[in-house]
Amino acid sequence: MIRVVRGNPTPEELAAAVAVMQARATAAAGATAAEAPRQRWAGPAQAVRRPLPAPGPGAWQAAFGPRG
């Protein structure tokens, strides 16, 4: 809710003031979202396949084990 305490603004002046306040609020919300750490599973590097290991002992575990 906005209340004019002093003066008599025109509708255009009031609209300009509301637009500035809305732009600042949107920018502040965007800055907060940009600072949040990204989850590792959402990273684009997770979509890139690694080459399969050479056959032999431990190859199955190396192919499907945790990524480092």
Side-chain angles (χ1 to χ4, degrees):
M1 193 70 160
I2 298 175
R3 182 175 71 165
V4 177
V5 177
R6 190 180 300 158
N8 190 16
T10 65
E12 291 82 13
E13 291 172 333
L14 193 56
V18 169
V20 169
M21 288 187 288
Q22 186 176 11
R24 288 189 60 132
T26 302
T32 304
E35 294 171 3
R38 287 186 55 171
Q39 297 294 327
R40 190 166 171 207
W41 62 267
Q46 296 299 324
V48 179
R49 292 189 56 161
R50 298 183 296 177
L52 293 175
W60 176 265
Q61 190 174 25
F64 298 103
R67 292 184 177 197

